[in-house]
Amino acid sequence: MIYLDSAATTLEKPQTVPARTAWAMTHLASPGRGGYGAGMGAADLVYRTRERAAELFHVGDPERVALTSNATHGLNIAIHTLVPAGGTVVISGYEHNAVTRPLHAIPGVKIRVAAGPLFDADGVYAAFEREITDGVDAVICNHVSNVFGFIQPVERLAALCRERGVPLIVDASQSAGILPVDLEGWGAAFVAMPGHKGLYGPQGTGLLLCGGEARPLLYGGTGSLSIRQEMPDFLPDRLEAGTQNVCGAAGLLAGMEFVARKGTQRIHAHERSLACRMMDRLERLPGVTVYRGRDQSGLFSAVVDGMDCEETAEALARRGIAVRAGLHCAPLAHRSAGTADTGTVRFSFSAFNRAEQVERAAEALGGIVKDGKKAW
């Protein structure tokens, strides 16, 4: 199988990731719950995971790195911390349901969409300039669109939010481990990310970088201040009720070490090179529309005229090519780009993909297009 769906989950991992995950399962107990070796070892591993994340993403204090189950978990914490009932929030036109659904669940929330054209960073920034006015409780923007790979102007937006005194939440689901993510440099209130995508960790892992105070989403035991019936008032304990995913943290630490060794710049250059190669090939196919722009990461979407995107993906799967099709849990992004009626077929790459896989995948889609024309 040629796997081109790393925007959902990186399937091929560094060998250290499954090895350390399996080791932790039989060697480490619950962190903060015992003074014996297996418990202390777990606490040490969890702290080293925070330290590595703090180094990668420029967080001054490792204790401001909270372990979550995924990016959605972290975004829910951030949103429920900053957006009150009846509050006002400004979001980009390319947000995932991990942002929009929690917002719609808050009673009376007013959502302003800073709508800008696809691959037009200046247009997106101008839209945020218009929408961020007095009374806005928070701004939310993903660093990279999970549908189109559109790199949004987060650095400029962060400066605008600082200037206007509005807290910023960044969804780094498609950028962590690939593009520079800088909590302190941005001055963001929160940055949420999954562990299982560009950080090459196991599924069920994630990180929330906290620039300020945070409200707990879950309540329960933390191994600290157990006599009290309120959650601890300090990070990260305040956000980490219940036993942590120590096995996942072990794998995530190994994944982040891989990213640190390889370097985000090198990873991004590799993925972008493969995406450009694939787009070049597909743009030569009759009836194929490729969504391509200047501000783009190593993922992109395409549509085959006259063929449902799910049918295209299924046809590719029969040829051993794994991609994702549909709305990608981001209907707002499709409405912004004009693809809500059709959806798209998404191609996304990782550090482990190779040029020959791109050639084979492009050849496979070419065959599908040719067969489809015969049927038409």
Side-chain angles (χ1 to χ4, degrees):
M1 177 179 68
I2 295 175
Y3 187 78
L4 302 180
D5 195 22
S6 291
T9 291
T10 46
L11 184 60
E12 189 171 357
K13 311 283 188 184
Q15 292 182 352
T16 52
V17 171
R20 290 198 197 172
T21 302
W23 178 86
M25 193 171 293
T26 55
H27 288 79
L28 300 180
S30 293
R33 268 73 167 179
Y36 48 85
M40 296 296 286
D44 177 66
L45 181 137
V46 167
Y47 191 75
R48 285 191 289 120
T49 303
R50 299 190 208 281
E51 284 186 314
R52 174 53 76 182
E55 291 169 3
L56 272 177
F57 307 121
H58 306 283
V59 184
D61 183 355
E63 293 190 350
R64 291 199 166 273
V65 178
L67 304 186
T68 61
S69 58
N70 45 49
T72 301
H73 181 191
L75 287 166
N76 270 265
I77 293 172
I79 288 167
H80 285 282
T81 294
L82 295 177
V83 184
T88 301
V89 62
V90 179
I91 67 175
S92 85
Y94 297 91
E95 297 309 305
H96 190 277
N97 280 344
V99 165
T100 58
R101 284 180 173 174
L103 287 174
H104 278 91
I106 298 173
V109 72
K110 303 173 194 66
I111 303 172
R112 298 183 188 172
V113 179
L118 183 61
F119 302 126
D120 183 353
D122 290 340
V124 167
Y125 179 79
F128 273 106
E129 272 193 312
R130 290 192 300 271
E131 296 295 343
I132 301 175
T133 57
D134 290 344
V136 170
D137 294 289
V139 169
I140 308 174
C141 186
N142 60 36
H143 197 176
V144 176
S145 164
N146 74 302
V147 180
F148 301 102
F150 175 25
I151 302 173
Q152 302 211 80
V154 166
E155 293 85 357
R156 295 166 61 196
L157 178 57
L160 177 65
C161 287
R162 293 195 304 271
E163 177 188 313
R164 299 193 179 179
V166 180
L168 171 66
I169 300 170
V170 178
D171 177 0
S173 293
Q174 300 297 337
S175 61
I178 301 164
L179 294 174
V181 172
D182 186 347
L183 176 75
E184 292 197 334
W186 294 344
F190 296 98
V191 178
M193 63 188 67
H196 64 101
K197 299 187 184 189
L199 298 182
Y200 295 90
Q203 292 166 315
T205 62
L207 300 168
L208 180 65
L209 316 180
C210 303
E213 296 307 309
R215 284 175 48 194
L217 191 66
L218 298 175
Y219 295 78
T222 60
S224 58
L225 302 182
S226 295
I227 192 66
R228 293 175 52 181
Q229 290 304 289
E230 302 81 25
M231 288 295 287
D233 58 1
F234 53 86
L235 294 171
D237 296 38
R238 186 166 177 74
L239 304 181
E240 294 183 351
T243 300
Q244 293 150 319
N245 181 3
V246 175
C247 303
L252 177 55
L253 175 58
M256 289 192 290
E257 288 173 347
F258 166 79
V259 169
R261 286 194 306 272
K262 204 163 186 67
T264 54
Q265 187 174 5
R266 185 177 167 197
I267 291 172
H268 179 241
H270 175 73
E271 293 183 8
R272 176 71 176 151
S273 173
L274 294 178
C276 288
R277 188 184 189 111
M278 185 80 172
M279 288 188 285
D280 288 344
R281 288 290 306 271
L282 298 192
E283 284 176 336
R284 296 200 291 265
L285 297 176
V288 175
T289 300
V290 175
Y291 292 88
R292 184 175 194 169
R294 182 183 61 185
D295 301 305
Q296 192 169 23
S297 68
L299 73 91
F300 70 93
S301 274
V303 173
V304 179
D305 294 347
M307 181 177 286
D308 182 84
C309 63
E310 299 283 359
E311 292 177 347
T312 305
E314 288 174 13
L316 284 167
R318 289 194 296 271
R319 291 161 172 80
I321 315 296
V323 298
R324 185 173 176 186
L327 296 182
H328 316 289
C329 300
L332 178 59
H334 286 279
R335 286 196 290 271
S336 296
T339 55
D341 292 337
T342 62
T344 61
V345 179
R346 185 183 68 190
F347 299 84
S348 54
F349 305 86
S350 83
F352 292 98
N353 286 121
R354 304 181 304 278
E356 58 266 30
Q357 293 177 319
V358 168
E359 295 301 320
R360 286 172 57 193
E363 192 173 307
L365 187 58
I368 292 167
V369 170
K370 186 177 180 181
D371 292 344
K373 282 191 168 294
K374 288 178 182 177
W376 305 334

